[in-house]
Amino acid sequence: IFAYRCVQGSCLFAFCSSKILLSRLLKMPTVLITGANGSIGCELAKLYAKRGDKVVAVCRHNTELVEQAKGEFKADQITIVKGLELDKPHTLGEFIGKNMSEMKHKYDLVIHNAGVLFPEDGSAKLPDLAADKITESLTTNAVSPLLLTTELLKHNMLAAHAKVVLVTSRMGSIDDNGSGGYYGYRMSKCA
């Protein structure tokens, strides 16, 4: 884990490999998880809900998996919020204001799990890379999580000692670059 404190000292950023068990973090009463509609995000939501934490599961769309998980817990244990568009960073402030500010939560833990991987990038050779896909990968996987965190700060939604985690991938490691391909995704997960 690589971590450092924010300039304002109000939160701790931690960059973790998805292999690290996030449940080792201190017990947190209110947890926000992006990408909760995917396998990893949904399992994290269940893990924290099982511990008794209040979970806000943020999804772009397609919430079937996390809605199924929500049914396993008390009615207010997991709250699902749809419509997060990390590929459109200019909409993040509006998303927070419209969908989340009325909840009046102070998040103790924010897990940025949402991400994008374009399957066609796997076979692309360097001369054939699409700049728009690389830019979208970088925006969605690296830039927008930071911007979403700043919006949470602006809306006073982070607890005084909040922790912010960005889930990365083994593909973001220099140790896993023997196979090549997925250059935009690798860059975005390394950033």
Side-chain angles (χ1 to χ4, degrees):
I1 295 178
F2 169 73
Y4 67 94
R5 283 224 173 258
C6 278
V7 174
Q8 294 115 331
S10 59
C11 61
L12 174 75
F13 282 82
F15 300 86
C16 303
S17 168
S18 57
K19 286 186 169 183
I20 293 174
L21 183 60
L22 295 175
S23 65
R24 290 184 183 171
L25 294 172
L26 298 174
K27 181 169 172 48
M28 303 292 170
T30 308
V31 181
L32 181 141
I33 302 170
T34 66
N37 53 317
S39 298
I40 294 172
C42 185
E43 288 302 315
L44 287 170
K46 291 189 328 190
L47 174 95
Y48 285 102
K50 190 180 287 184
R51 286 187 353 171
D53 298 343
K54 185 170 196 71
V55 175
V56 176
V58 183
C59 311
R60 182 180 206 173
H61 50 70
N62 188 18
T63 59
E64 184 179 328
L65 191 61
V66 74
E67 284 179 25
Q68 188 177 25
K70 180 180 178 173
E72 300 173 22
F73 299 95
K74 293 185 288 185
D76 65 344
Q77 193 86 34
I78 298 177
T79 302
I80 300 170
V81 180
K82 292 191 269 186
L84 178 64
E85 301 281 346
L86 288 175
D87 60 333
K88 298 178 180 116
H90 61 281
T91 66
L92 298 176
E94 181 182 341
F95 173 81
I96 295 289
K98 187 189 297 185
N99 298 296
M100 297 177 66
S101 60
E102 65 190 39
M103 290 186 215
K104 307 278 188 241
H105 290 312
K106 291 273 193 178
Y107 297 104
D108 299 289
L109 177 62
V110 177
I111 301 175
H112 290 291
N113 171 65
V116 65
L117 169 73
F118 298 106
E120 64 272 13
D121 286 351
S123 60
K125 303 291 183 221
L126 281 174
D128 303 325
L129 294 179
D132 60 330
K133 295 296 185 193
I134 293 171
T135 302
E136 188 174 346
S137 290
L138 286 167
T139 300
T140 302
N141 298 343
V143 176
S144 286
L146 180 60
L147 295 176
L148 182 60
T149 302
T150 63
E151 289 297 333
L152 292 169
L153 281 168
K154 287 178 190 176
H155 286 83
N156 198 26
M157 296 176 76
L158 292 179
H161 293 74
K163 308 238 178 339
V164 177
V165 178
L166 289 94
V167 177
T168 186
S169 163
R170 183 176 183 185
M171 289 178 72
S173 167
I174 196 165
D175 287 342
D176 185 55
N177 201 15
S179 61
Y182 299 103
Y183 298 105
Y185 180 78
R186 290 177 187 278
M187 288 169 33
S188 70
K189 288 299 187 176
C190 183

